[in-house]
Amino acid sequence: MDEKTQGQLLSEKLVYKTKNTFESKNAEKDVVTEYCEGYKKFLDNSKTEREAVTETISMIEKKGYKPYKLGDKLERGGKYYLNNRNKSLFMFKLGSESIENGIRITASHIDSPRVDFKPRPVYEDSEMCFFKTHYYGGIKKYQWVTTPLSLHGVICKPDGDVTVCIGEDDSDPVFYISDLAPHIAQLQYQKHVGEAITGEQLNLLAGSEPYDDEKTSDKVKLTVLSLLNEKYGCTEADLISAELCAVPALKARDIGLDRSMIGSYGHDDRVCAYPSVTAMLESEDSEHTLMNIIADKEEVGSDGVSGMQCALLSDIIEEIALALGGNPRVVRANSKCLSADVNVAYDPNFPEVFERRNTAFLNHGVVLSKYTGARGKSGTSDASAEFVEFVTRTFDEEGVDWQMAELGKIDLGGGGTVAKYIANINIDTIDLGVPVISMHAPYELVAKNDVYMVHKAIKAFYK
Ligand code: MN
Ligand code: MN
């Protein structure tokens, strides 16, 4: 082999390049493939935050995690989870070192953009029955028409709550939002693409067969209500308090002849939630106190009792600190957090919106974002140089492929995560996640290597 020239050696020393995991060999293909089979199952079983909480509890109870409520006794070495109203979950493992060294926290979210039911959803028009919806999160509305949708949620009644899931089994019916035929779409074509389909047009088609009784009106609506009553024992009035939503009735599938990618609904942010759970379950030996949060309401601003702006995180940290004889303020000050959420991957079909040197690429590992925000870094926490160095050094030591990126060109893009809400209570926090193509679409895309690399990154952080 030829000896390297001085220039080549200098270039190796001085020039920075990100690594493609296929070339870095930091993940074995067989391991990645097997890991992602587990992730695909999680995706199919966890299309809403409630389902993700149930699925996660079944995963962690097998590994000895015990239910915990505020005020319960905590013991050093114990493994606990707090199920917050079936919508968000805090799992934590109390370590052997001093609690005043802080907690290693990962926070991701399990809500995804979708189409929620309005409180009074059912109506009949032109001998068709529909459900009125109110979309949840940042969707491109035109993407949600003419695609099969399934129904998920809960109906609460005086005689008990029932869980709803229609459209996931291959033998189930699905639901549908209509669009115009191109033949009669001349007016629609003249509209701005963001207005081609409006929020009030996202009406879910639910039936077309009239109830067989001459003496009633709205016969198709009555058929639909009678079928709901048969299946769930509910009336139209019960739907007022119900939480029902429509999500794509599509399963996670391998994408590409090489099967290197996964298409699915709701990668954002189950693609960080699942690895955060598996990483925690493989960190039994860590001496640190570890906490893993899968939160709700990130897609609509993290407000409310199940969002990351809720005081519950502070309350749990305080309970842990007091149980282990630490000062809660000191515990928070010394804690560290990975805000695990997705980022945008470079898409060569839309080069004009990216600044390539500061953009994440598929297969180049986890994406770190020192800051997010928009319009001159507004509305974000900004991880310190010291903390970024700590995290990237940890990843380098543990063979984690990582890349640092922004979200689109300045003044074209922008976004936010839960990072700032955790940083606001005096915890060093940085965003980390998976690059995604077609984020918030009914069917999003990620690379398998990157999914596995998040698992590896969080494990490194917990070590
Ligand atoms: Mn997200
Ligand atoms: Mn999102």
Side-chain angles (χ1 to χ4, degrees):
M1 206 161 57
D2 290 343
E3 246 178 63
K4 285 182 181 160
T5 64
Q6 203 181 338
Q8 281 174 314
L9 290 168
L10 194 62
S11 167
E12 275 174 23
K13 185 178 164 195
L14 299 183
V15 178
Y16 170 75
K17 285 197 187 85
T18 63
K19 292 178 195 148
N20 182 313
T21 298
F22 284 115
E23 288 157 9
S24 74
K25 312 287 184 205
N26 275 332
E28 279 173 48
K29 195 168 175 179
D30 292 353
V31 175
V32 171
T33 304
E34 200 194 321
Y35 181 80
C36 286
E37 286 307 304
Y39 172 51
K40 281 155 61 186
K41 277 200 197 87
F42 183 82
L43 283 168
D44 291 343
N45 293 337
S46 313
K47 290 199 170 181
T48 63
E49 62 276 4
R50 286 175 184 273
E51 290 172 359
V53 164
T54 306
E55 186 75 7
T56 304
I57 289 175
S58 80
M59 285 167 71
I60 66 178
E61 278 194 335
K62 283 182 205 137
K63 301 282 180 159
Y65 280 79
K66 299 266 183 293
Y68 162 82
K69 297 186 305 306
L70 287 177
D72 285 356
K73 199 165 172 295
L74 293 169
E75 279 167 14
R76 198 174 286 279
K79 298 189 285 185
Y80 305 93
Y81 69 85
L82 186 147
N83 172 355
N84 180 21
R85 300 166 168 90
N86 302 317
K87 291 185 174 201
S88 72
L89 189 81
F90 294 72
M91 58 187 284
F92 50 96
K93 187 183 86 66
L94 305 183
S96 55
E97 68 173 354
S98 164
I99 189 61
E100 293 200 344
N101 289 352
I103 304 175
R104 299 280 168 108
I105 304 168
T106 301
S108 60
H109 69 94
I110 46 175
D111 60 315
S112 298
R114 61 181 186 232
V115 186
D116 281 347
F117 277 38
K118 285 193 182 186
R120 292 186 61 184
V122 195
Y123 73 100
E124 177 171 338
D125 192 341
S126 313
E127 296 169 82
M128 292 189 277
C129 179
F130 296 91
F131 298 136
K132 290 292 306 173
T133 69
H134 193 143
Y135 62 95
Y136 173 93
I139 64 168
K140 290 165 102 174
K141 296 187 263 300
Y142 68 84
Q143 294 178 330
W144 292 70
V145 298
T146 67
T147 189
L149 297 166
S150 57
L151 202 64
H152 296 247
V154 63
I155 302 172
C156 298
K157 302 177 298 156
D159 58 340
D161 304 344
V162 283
T163 301
V164 175
C165 182
I166 308 173
E168 293 299 333
D169 193 282
D170 286 343
S171 64
D172 282 353
V174 292
F175 302 85
Y176 186 81
I177 300 171
S178 61
D179 194 4
L180 278 177
H183 317 68
I184 50 171
Q186 289 313 308
L187 285 175
Q188 188 184 40
Y189 282 149
Q190 288 163 23
K191 290 183 185 169
H192 186 270
V193 68
E195 289 146 16
I197 299 287
T198 65
E200 293 295 351
Q201 283 173 327
L202 295 177
N203 300 316
L204 214 58
L205 186 55
S208 68
E209 181 179 334
Y211 193 85
D212 188 14
D213 184 342
E214 272 314 303
K215 295 202 170 146
T216 59
S217 58
D218 280 356
K219 296 184 178 65
V220 181
K221 174 176 169 176
L222 195 58
T223 300
V224 167
L225 285 177
S226 72
L227 290 168
L228 283 175
N229 183 262
E230 225 170 79
K231 197 166 166 65
Y232 300 114
C234 66
T235 65
E236 189 175 14
D238 293 323
L239 298 181
I240 293 173
S241 61
E243 282 180 14
L244 296 168
C245 67
V247 301
L250 305 166
K251 299 249 187 293
R253 304 280 295 265
D254 288 347
I255 302 261
L257 286 173
D258 56 12
R259 297 179 174 267
S260 60
M261 299 162 283
I262 306 171
S264 175
Y265 165 67
H267 281 309
D268 177 8
D269 186 31
R270 292 169 185 89
V271 75
C272 297
Y274 180 77
S276 73
V277 175
T278 58
M280 182 109 169
L281 294 179
E282 289 181 17
S283 300
E284 295 281 314
D285 298 336
S286 176
E287 62 181 13
H288 306 302
T289 291
L290 308 177
M291 184 186 289
N292 195 38
I293 308 163
I294 54 175
D296 180 30
K297 292 288 179 281
E298 193 280 338
E299 295 296 353
V300 290
S302 298
D303 292 293
V305 288
S306 55
M308 278 314 297
Q309 295 204 61
C310 176
L312 183 54
L313 170 60
S314 291
D315 289 346
I316 296 175
I317 291 176
E318 195 167 329
E319 293 282 313
I320 293 173
L322 296 175
L324 300 184
N327 177 334
R329 296 188 185 91
V330 176
V331 173
R332 283 210 309 257
N334 291 329
S335 291
K336 296 178 171 65
C337 178
L338 298 178
S339 158
D341 204 347
V342 298
N343 208 307
V344 167
Y346 184 78
D347 182 344
N349 286 317
F350 304 91
E352 63 281 4
V353 301
F354 296 101
E355 192 270 276
R356 282 184 67 108
R357 284 169 208 83
N358 288 283
T359 292
F361 285 78
L362 289 186
N363 288 308
H364 283 241
V366 296
V367 199
L368 291 165
S369 290
K370 189 177 182 308
Y371 48 84
T372 57
R375 296 170 301 281
K377 298 190 177 181
S378 287
T380 181
S381 69
D382 190 345
S384 69
E386 291 83 351
F387 188 51
V388 175
E389 197 277 335
F390 162 79
V391 170
T392 54
R393 176 165 35 86
T394 303
F395 290 172
D396 286 338
E397 284 167 6
E398 297 294 322
V400 174
D401 294 332
W402 60 272
Q403 47 189 330
M404 180 67 78
E406 291 194 352
L407 208 149
K409 273 184 183 163
I410 298 171
D411 296 335
L412 284 188
T417 65
V418 301
K420 61 178 173 180
Y421 307 118
I422 298 162
N424 286 349
I425 61 168
N426 197 26
I427 296 175
D428 273 311
T429 304
I430 187 168
D431 277 301
L432 158 144
V434 170
V436 176
I437 282 185
S438 311
M439 197 197 294
H440 287 198
Y443 215 58
E444 305 173 317
L445 180 138
V446 299
K448 288 183 179 178
N449 277 333
D450 300 331
V451 181
Y452 180 71
M453 207 50 76
V454 176
H455 165 82
K456 207 171 165 184
I458 297 174
K459 241 175 101 170
F461 173 69
Y462 281 160
K463 195 171 166 183

